């Protein structure tokens, strides 16, 4: 809100009850609907307290699929009574807590509608969400230019009309041309009586009411005051959250020995981990931190997320010369990084005290040998998590994080 952002397309209320889900992953709180509902409701409350509109997603739930709707059209065949127990439960909890907006998902739920994905389904959005569940807030689409829509449900114009007819209030696009085409199509559809003016007025009323509720109509602007102070405060808070999230899933690891030689391997990070690093990776970050703490023999390798055979062979040969080895990988299981899977399993054979870190989704252990002794999860590959992990490797605190999933481990 301070920076002029008045709506956050979060929280994700998907229950990640499919360990092979390639896209939801760490955006979900858990594979337990109660944990998802509790944490999601708390986040909505925090956003509302800060006068930011929350948007729970992806209704009715994107967790139980192994297909990414950015690139395909998933179908979930779960019976309706089970949907109520798992997928729908966090959304119903959020609605009861006063959620202001909900984003749809481009998935066919065959128990409700065998033809259209939720985004384009009147049965899902109007009959189920509005009439049966009693939701009165805004309904937003997921990206209308994702393949699940564009490959299967006509042109931009045709899909926009279907979405509005289904009950959508706001349509989301990532291109400049998409909104213009959709707007023209919707206006023409109203003029041709394909969409009633009453249907348009319903959505306009909901949008205006939210703008009034969140003071977005008159005199609203971003603020430039206290920026440095606020950023420092938020950085400290993020670092503390990251430390508290570190989870020792397996083993009795309590820190490295600075008198032993140490090898650290990780992929490059997508987000900046700070300035001055030789490589933008956890391995480089940790090496720099440990060197500053008196470690004298630390070697770091930055590799691809799915490690190349050249790097794998080189590191496996080098690993024989090191006493303690840390390998931090990212989404090996859910992204099917088979070369990284083989690499870690070969390291397990070489070094029984190997420390393996799952940087993002915690499911990576499913790809590794049962002989893995030390397995750590941190749920994020960003600067705060690297800050926490480096200090954890140095034995500065005890891991107190709790694994949020029960299936597949």
């Amino acid at each position: 809100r301070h920076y002029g952002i008045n709506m956050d397309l979060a929280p994700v209320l998907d229950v990640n009850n499919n360990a092979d889900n390639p896209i939801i992953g760490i955006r979900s709180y858990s594979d337990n609907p109660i944990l998802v509902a509790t944490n999601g409701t708390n986040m909505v409350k925090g956003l509302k307290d800060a006068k930011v509109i929350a948007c729970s997603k992806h209704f009715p739930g994107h967790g139980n699929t192994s297909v990414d709707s950015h690139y395909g059209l998933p179908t979930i065949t779960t019976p309706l009574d089970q949907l109520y127990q798992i997928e729908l439960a966090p959304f119903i909890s959020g609605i009861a807590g006063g959620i202001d907006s909900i984003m749809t998902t481009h998935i066919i739920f065959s128990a409700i509608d065998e033809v259209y994905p939720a985004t384009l389904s009147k049965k899902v959005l109007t009959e189920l969400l509005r009439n049966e569940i009693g939701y009165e807030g805004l309904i937003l689409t997921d990206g209308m230019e994702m393949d699940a829509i564009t490959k299967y449900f006509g042109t931009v114009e045709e899909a926009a009309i279907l979405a509005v007819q289904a009950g959508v209030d706001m349509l989301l696009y990532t291109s400049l041309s998409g909104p213009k085409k959709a707007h023209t199509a919707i206006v023409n559809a109203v003029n041709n009586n394909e969409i009633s003016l009453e249907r348009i007025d319903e959505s306009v009323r909901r949008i205006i009411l939210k703008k009034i509720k969140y003071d977005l109509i008159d005199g609203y602007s971003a603020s430039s005051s206290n920026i440095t102070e606020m950023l420092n405060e938020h950085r400290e808070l993020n670092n503390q959250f990251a430390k508290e999230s570190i989870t020792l899933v397996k083993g009795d690891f309590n820190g490295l020995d600075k008198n032993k030689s140490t090898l650290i391997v990780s992929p490059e990070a997508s987000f900046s981990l700070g300035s001055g690093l030789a490589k933008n990776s956890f391995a480089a970050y940790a090496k720099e931190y440990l060197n500053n703490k008196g470690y004298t023999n630390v070697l770091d390798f930055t590799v691809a997320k799915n490690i190349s055979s050249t790097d794998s062979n080189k590191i496996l040969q080098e690993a024989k010369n090191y006493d303690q080895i840390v390998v931090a990988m990212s989404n090996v299981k859910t992204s099917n990084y088979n070369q990284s899977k083989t690499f870690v399993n070969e390291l397990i054979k070489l070094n029984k005290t190997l420390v393996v870190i799952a940087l993002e989704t915690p499911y990576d252990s499913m790809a590794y040998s049962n002989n893995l002794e030390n397995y750590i999860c941190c749920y994020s590959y960003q600067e705060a998590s690297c800050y926490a992990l480096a200090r954890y490797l140095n034995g500065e605190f005890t891991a107190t994080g709790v694994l949020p999933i029960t299936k597949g481990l």
Side-chain angles (χ1 to χ4, degrees):
R1 180 80 183 201
H2 185 90
Y3 287 99
I5 296 170
N6 51 58
M7 187 176 202
D8 188 359
L9 302 182
V12 167
L13 294 188
D14 300 321
V15 180
N16 201 80
N17 52 339
N18 188 328
D20 293 321
N21 195 310
I23 187 62
I24 298 304
I26 54 171
R27 295 194 291 163
S28 169
Y29 289 106
S30 175
D31 61 4
N32 182 325
I34 296 175
L35 285 178
V36 173
T38 302
N39 287 288
T41 298
N42 283 339
M43 183 173 179
V44 169
K45 183 178 184 300
L47 288 167
K48 290 179 76 170
D49 287 349
K51 297 190 74 177
V52 174
I53 302 171
C55 181
S56 297
K57 61 187 186 185
H58 308 82
F59 186 86
H62 202 314
N64 190 18
T65 177
S66 59
V67 176
D68 181 352
S69 55
H70 289 85
Y71 308 110
L73 177 61
T75 296
I76 291 177
T77 59
T78 305
L80 187 58
D81 60 338
Q82 291 182 32
L83 289 175
Y84 266 101
Q85 293 172 28
I86 300 175
E87 279 81 3
L88 292 174
F91 289 99
I92 293 172
S93 175
I95 291 167
I99 183 68
D100 287 291
S101 65
I102 287 176
M103 180 183 287
T104 65
T105 186
H106 307 327
I107 294 177
I108 290 177
F109 289 79
S110 58
I112 308 170
D113 190 333
E114 295 182 343
V115 178
Y116 291 111
T119 299
L120 308 180
S121 172
K122 189 171 184 177
K123 292 179 180 178
V124 173
L125 301 186
T126 299
E127 295 177 17
L128 175 65
L129 181 56
R130 291 281 189 217
N131 299 340
E132 190 168 330
I133 297 177
Y135 175 64
E136 297 180 350
L138 294 174
I139 297 177
L140 284 69
T141 71
D142 204 345
M144 290 294 287
E145 289 152 322
M146 291 162 61
D147 284 357
I149 298 296
T150 59
K151 282 187 176 181
Y152 300 93
F153 296 98
T155 63
V156 169
E157 292 86 350
E158 290 167 335
I161 292 169
L162 286 172
V164 174
Q165 288 173 332
V168 162
D169 300 307
M170 298 172 67
L171 290 83
L172 177 63
Y173 293 89
T174 52
S175 73
L176 294 176
S177 61
K180 296 177 182 178
K181 292 178 181 179
H183 175 263
T184 299
I186 292 166
V187 170
N188 290 338
V190 172
N191 291 333
N192 296 332
N193 295 319
E194 291 180 73
I195 298 174
S196 70
L197 198 55
E198 290 75 19
R199 170 74 270 281
I200 299 297
D201 287 344
E202 289 172 8
S203 291
V204 172
R205 177 181 56 81
R206 293 188 191 105
I207 292 166
I208 290 174
L209 286 175
K210 295 305 177 190
K211 287 186 174 184
I212 293 171
K213 178 179 178 180
Y214 283 85
D215 191 23
L216 302 179
I217 293 180
D218 296 315
Y220 171 71
S221 62
S223 170
S224 60
S225 62
N226 302 321
I227 290 178
T228 302
E229 179 184 339
M230 290 174 68
L231 286 176
N232 289 337
E233 178 185 342
H234 296 165
R235 184 176 293 109
E236 291 175 9
L237 186 62
N238 284 335
N239 289 342
Q240 186 61 33
F241 284 154
K243 287 171 68 176
E244 292 177 6
S245 76
I246 302 295
T247 306
L248 180 60
V249 179
K250 188 177 182 181
D252 57 2
F253 179 79
N254 56 12
L256 298 171
D257 185 338
K258 68 173 56 179
N259 297 311
K260 292 183 177 180
S261 57
T262 305
L263 172 65
I264 306 175
V265 183
S266 80
E268 191 168 5
S270 301
F271 298 92
S272 172
L273 302 180
S275 60
L277 294 174
K279 291 283 183 69
N280 190 54
S281 69
F282 169 68
Y285 187 105
K287 176 184 179 178
E288 182 174 286
Y289 183 77
L290 294 176
N291 283 345
N292 290 334
K293 291 297 179 179
Y295 290 69
T296 58
N297 188 1
V298 181
L299 177 66
D300 65 298
F301 277 98
T302 299
V303 299
K305 287 187 176 181
N306 195 18
I307 190 171
S308 69
S309 56
T310 300
D311 282 346
S312 176
N313 293 335
K314 180 179 179 180
I315 295 169
L316 288 171
Q317 191 63 37
E318 194 74 52
K320 298 172 184 177
N321 303 318
Y322 283 81
D323 301 318
Q324 48 194 8
I325 302 173
V326 178
V327 56
M329 302 303 280
S330 178
N331 299 335
V332 171
K333 169 69 171 66
T334 54
S335 297
N336 296 316
Y337 292 149
N338 289 324
Q339 290 181 166
S340 291
K341 170 184 173 180
T342 300
F343 168 69
V344 173
N345 285 327
E346 289 299 316
L347 278 178
I348 292 170
K349 293 177 186 176
L350 280 177
N351 190 300
K352 292 215 170 196
T353 60
L354 174 73
V355 176
V356 176
I357 299 170
L359 289 168
E360 296 184 82
T361 58
Y363 297 107
D364 283 1
S365 67
M366 296 171 66
Y368 303 145
S369 163
N370 290 331
N371 294 326
L372 172 61
E373 289 193 7
N374 297 294
Y375 184 60
I376 297 160
C377 294
C378 73
Y379 319 104
S380 161
Y381 195 6
Q382 298 190 38
E383 185 176 2
S385 290
C386 291
Y387 170 99
L389 283 170
R391 284 153 181 77
Y392 181 57
L393 291 182
N394 192 40
E396 297 176 30
F397 63 93
T398 301
T400 59
V402 178
L403 194 67
I405 62 170
T406 55
K407 298 173 185 176
L409 293 180

